[in-house]
Amino acid sequence: MSAESAVLIMLTVISAATPLLFAALGELVVEKSGVLNLGVEGMMLAGAVSGFAVTVTTGSAVLGILCAAAAGALLSLVFGILTLTLAANQVATGLALTIFGIGLSALVGSGFVGVPVVPLPKLAVPGVSDLPVIGPLLFGHDALIYLSILATAGVGWFLTRTRGGMILRAVGESDESAHSIGFSVIRVRYLAVLFGGAMSGLAGAFMSLSHTPMWAEEMTAGRGWIALALVVFSSWRPGRVLLGAYLFGGVTILQLHAQGAGGLGIPAQVLSMLPYLATIAVLTIIAAGPWRGRLDAPACLGKPFRPST
Amino acid sequence: MKITATRRNFVLGSAAAAGALGLVGPRAFAAEPLKVGFVYVGPIGDFGWTHGHDQGRKAIEAHFGDKVKTTFVENVAEGPDAERVIRQLASSGHGLVFSTSFGFMNPTLRVAKQFPKVKFEHATGYQTAPNLSVYNARFHEGRVVCGTIAGHVTKSGVVGYIGSFPIPEVVMGINAFTLAARKIRPDIKVKVVWANSWYDPGKEGDGAKALVDQGADIMCQHTDSPAPLQVAETRGIHGFGQASDMKAFAPNAQLTAILDVWDGYYIQRTQDVLDDTWKSQSIWWGLKEGMVKMAPYGPAVPENVRQEADAARDGIISGARHPFIGPIKDQKGVLRVAEGEILSEKEIATMDWYVEGVEA
């Protein structure tokens, strides 16, 4: 395999991993605050359709991306009102949010099926982007890909290095304690849920504006669920979310390459399983290894909180 | 009208049907419009398979006006859910029901037995009953035209093919394409990547990128989204649209597209029910009957190639050319079809082997 085709494969891997990374990072913050939102897929679709529709209508991709984040956040606000204010069951509400998002995005997007869009521009750095290998790998991406990497670092920094992050984790680990020392559990969780919605919206916008620049119903095809699994896979650490997203994206792309190269004598169905098998394998290794015991989920994950007076 | 198949609707629907049957009978009023129901496996916005069937439904509405009322249920999962949806349509006064995916076959058959007065039409299956017809299109005939063009346009001699599932319908398409392409250029290789899905734009596109990276300069697909063709456009290679004209996504890349045209058949069968002349049948129509059509050629198809492609199409229509005429060798180089021999419809419909030149 030549260096050139290796670079092309890497570019595809990055593109396949980015929507997973956005959505999983958002969900990680949500879960760190003790809330389980299974509506990622629905919020991604809301983001995908609004990002696409606004970009096509106004011609401004920046506006489209902002609207995608807003649409994801808006849908997550519905989830927040139901589960945080009205203390509805989070699992059921999240599932309903996914189904609602699928239907709503199809309705909004019905006029945009078959409409072409200009893909997000690649931000080339003159001189540097032309360097072999390093140029295209590091300096030839669109803005959302850079944003996803920055967001990983940002979320990691926020959770471990800031007071806000500490409060958020405290709320997720022990809502009663956080409440009793004066933090507003519900407010913190609202902010986390809104952030998660916005990130899912960005994941969707990346799908409809960059990865496959078009709108088609249910175009996320289950990536929201993969993102949810990646959060568990990462044992709630942003760095491992990045690793997981790239591993999953990488194995997905490599199995497609293996098929194209004649399949190595392995049935296509088995190759299609590889990303999932690889994810399970890594998860098992983490669980059994010296990191054992540090896998644990936020203690209050999924539990509704009713402030005692 | 769109029906959301909830339990509540089902109960209401059954009650309404029971009332209609008991009191007036569904055909008591001549002015009552015929209700035609459609069951779709995907969203009508997929711009592919289901979109095509929905165009057929709209053609019925446009053709018959007030005499017919159509309903559809989209995104119906193949399996038990399908049976519930089909039964709901049958029990809510529909006189004709089209179920448009292979996996709806057994559910349709079961419901057809329970509702002998309702006519059923099932796409791409093989089970018939006195009130159940099957219909299918010979899409692989379109692949012959595509293969002819690809044989001329390719420079690398490598064709990428995004498949959904290795079922006969897809396998016969790959083979028909490969045979036609190798007739023009015998060293062509067709590399197949399976998406293991009918519809996953992201994965279809990623598969296409992988194939381009491996040297393919022609992209074919047997999946339902325009993503592979879109990859062809951005990577500067060429390809073929699937199920509908996808030139909006690939104005330069699309050489032509295989179009599913159900309009004529749907209108005819609706007319048959209105005239009370509907009979159970099993049809497999192609270019000749107009169930398969080719989209206008793209700018990258030179004039002489257009003529050859036209000739291939006309040959199939007139019967002078057959997609599967011997000699045909399989992947291992073993002669499977002798010189001048033609595969029977049954042999085509159950095809589970690849011709020489396919890498799958």
Side-chain angles (χ1 to χ4, degrees):
Chain A
M1 187 187 296
S2 69
E4 199 184 340
S5 63
V7 168
L8 285 169
I9 293 173
M10 272 310 295
L11 289 178
T12 319
V13 170
I14 293 169
S15 178
T18 299
L20 300 174
L21 182 54
F22 269 122
L25 276 179
E27 180 67 15
L28 182 141
V29 171
V30 177
E31 293 191 11
K32 270 289 186 190
S33 81
V35 179
L36 179 66
N37 184 355
L38 296 180
V40 178
E41 181 89 357
M43 299 187 296
M44 279 177 78
L45 282 166
V49 74
S50 7
F52 185 87
V54 171
T55 304
V56 166
T57 316
T58 65
S60 161
V62 175
L63 203 59
I65 290 169
L66 289 176
C67 285
L74 199 65
L75 213 54
S76 72
L77 182 63
V78 176
F79 175 84
I81 291 170
L82 290 170
T83 60
L84 300 177
T85 305
L86 303 174
N89 181 294
Q90 292 178 7
V91 171
T93 311
L95 289 172
L97 194 69
T98 284
I99 299 167
F100 175 65
I102 291 172
L104 183 71
S105 62
L107 179 71
V108 173
S110 59
F112 291 94
V113 174
V115 177
V117 69
V118 182
L120 288 184
K122 309 275 182 222
L123 305 178
V125 184
V128 189
S129 294
D130 300 330
L131 290 174
V133 185
I134 301 170
L137 272 187
L138 296 182
F139 302 105
H141 301 299
D142 54 52
L144 282 179
I145 289 179
Y146 295 117
L147 184 62
S148 71
I149 304 293
L150 286 177
T152 312
V155 167
W157 173 78
F158 171 77
L159 285 176
T160 53
R161 296 270 182 274
T162 68
R163 187 177 151 76
M166 205 172 69
I167 297 171
L168 183 117
R169 284 188 290 142
V171 164
E173 293 297 341
S174 175
D175 45 12
E176 289 292 350
S177 315
H179 176 69
S180 65
I181 55 171
F183 295 120
S184 169
V185 172
I186 298 296
R187 197 168 68 103
V188 169
R189 288 187 174 170
Y190 257 110
L191 291 173
V193 163
L194 286 173
F195 176 77
M199 291 292 273
S200 289
L202 288 179
F206 183 80
M207 291 289 298
S208 68
L209 294 175
S210 174
H211 191 52
T212 46
M214 63 173 178
W215 165 251
E217 280 181 37
E218 290 179 52
M219 64 180 295
T220 52
R223 281 169 184 74
W225 300 107
I226 307 279
L228 276 163
L230 282 177
V231 177
V232 182
F233 167 88
S234 73
S235 47
W236 292 269
R237 284 146 204 265
R240 288 196 195 155
V241 165
L242 179 82
L243 177 79
Y246 276 73
L247 177 76
F248 191 87
V251 181
T252 306
I253 301 304
L254 286 180
Q255 70 92 1
L256 291 169
H257 269 275
Q259 285 193 41
L264 317 167
I266 306 167
Q269 291 87 340
V270 175
L271 288 172
S272 297
M273 280 183 227
L274 281 181
Y276 305 91
L277 288 178
T279 310
I280 293 171
V282 174
L283 198 55
T284 315
I285 292 166
I286 292 176
W291 309 279
R292 198 174 171 146
R294 299 175 64 187
L295 254 187
D296 41 359
C300 293
L301 183 59
K303 285 200 295 191
F305 177 72
R306 284 192 187 83
S308 48
T309 43
Chain B
M1 183 179 96
K2 182 171 162 180
I3 293 183
T4 322
T6 63
R7 180 165 294 173
R8 174 176 295 181
N9 276 346
F10 170 57
V11 173
L12 287 176
S14 316
L21 286 170
L23 296 175
V24 288
R27 293 211 154 229
F29 299 106
E32 191 87 344
L34 170 69
K35 282 170 82 177
V36 184
F38 287 83
V39 188
Y40 300 144
V41 70
I44 55 168
D46 68 354
F47 214 67
W49 178 255
T50 296
H51 177 79
H53 288 283
D54 201 54
Q55 294 296 316
R57 180 187 66 83
K58 286 181 182 155
I60 292 181
E61 289 209 323
H63 184 85
F64 293 102
D66 293 345
K67 283 193 282 180
V68 166
K69 217 173 126 208
T70 68
T71 48
F72 68 88
V73 189
E74 59 182 339
N75 284 321
V76 178
E78 298 181 331
D81 214 29
E83 187 169 333
R84 187 171 57 79
V85 172
I86 297 164
R87 186 177 295 113
Q88 187 198 4
L89 288 175
S91 63
S92 57
H94 289 78
L96 178 61
V97 175
F98 291 91
S99 59
T100 61
S101 187
F102 180 79
F104 296 157
M105 180 168 72
N106 290 327
T108 311
L109 186 66
R110 274 196 289 274
V111 180
K113 282 181 180 153
Q114 293 160 354
F115 292 86
K117 285 188 181 143
V118 179
K119 314 294 185 217
F120 294 88
E121 295 270 350
H122 176 239
T124 71
Y126 52 81
Q127 296 261 34
T128 57
N131 60 332
L132 169 61
S133 284
V134 294
Y135 61 102
N136 199 355
R138 295 193 299 266
F139 305 113
H140 60 279
E141 293 182 351
R143 306 264 176 209
V144 175
V145 181
C146 295
T148 307
I149 299 172
H152 285 286
V153 174
T154 181
K155 291 193 176 67
S156 67
V158 180
V159 174
Y161 206 117
I162 306 291
S164 49
F165 298 96
I167 57 172
E169 180 188 340
V170 179
V171 172
M172 73 177 85
I174 293 170
N175 284 343
F177 174 89
T178 308
L179 288 171
R182 284 169 75 96
K183 204 173 148 103
I184 308 295
R185 190 174 150 178
D187 67 336
I188 280 178
K189 278 192 285 191
V190 178
K191 292 183 175 216
V192 184
V193 163
W194 301 102
N196 281 306
S197 167
W198 282 109
Y199 183 71
D200 180 342
K203 206 166 174 192
E204 292 168 47
D206 287 342
K209 287 176 196 163
L211 287 164
V212 178
D213 294 344
Q214 293 183 8
D217 66 353
I218 298 281
M219 192 59 57
C220 292
Q221 63 177 103
H222 204 137
T223 49
D224 292 343
S225 92
L229 196 58
Q230 204 173 31
V231 169
E233 180 80 15
T234 51
R235 292 290 183 92
I237 64 159
H238 298 102
F240 300 99
Q242 166 81 5
S244 59
D245 193 339
M246 294 178 171
K247 70 166 182 287
F249 290 99
N252 301 306
Q254 181 175 289
L255 299 167
T256 181
I258 303 173
L259 311 180
D260 308 353
V261 187
W262 308 104
D263 307 21
Y265 182 73
Y266 285 178
I267 288 171
Q268 187 197 318
R269 296 307 270 172
T270 307
Q271 187 70 52
D272 288 346
V273 173
L274 287 170
D275 297 346
D276 229 6
T277 55
W278 189 96
K279 280 197 175 56
S280 176
Q281 61 180 24
S282 170
I283 62 114
W284 202 15
W285 286 357
L287 286 166
K288 186 180 166 191
E289 296 86 356
M291 197 174 258
V292 178
K293 282 187 181 153
M294 305 308 293
Y297 300 119
V301 188
E303 185 52 39
N304 62 323
V305 179
R306 288 174 189 225
Q307 283 169 11
E308 273 197 57
D310 281 344
R313 184 197 62 202
D314 296 344
I316 289 171
I317 290 175
S318 71
R321 178 169 181 171
H322 193 279
F324 296 107
I325 185 163
I328 302 176
K329 284 184 184 166
D330 68 12
Q331 268 176 314
K332 296 192 182 79
V334 179
L335 191 72
R336 293 290 287 253
V337 185
E339 175 96 42
E341 200 183 302
I342 288 176
L343 280 185
S344 72
E345 280 199 357
K346 190 168 175 238
E347 283 168 314
I348 298 172
T350 55
M351 200 171 253
D352 60 354
W353 53 278
Y354 297 105
V355 301
E356 201 172 29
V358 177
E359 292 181 4

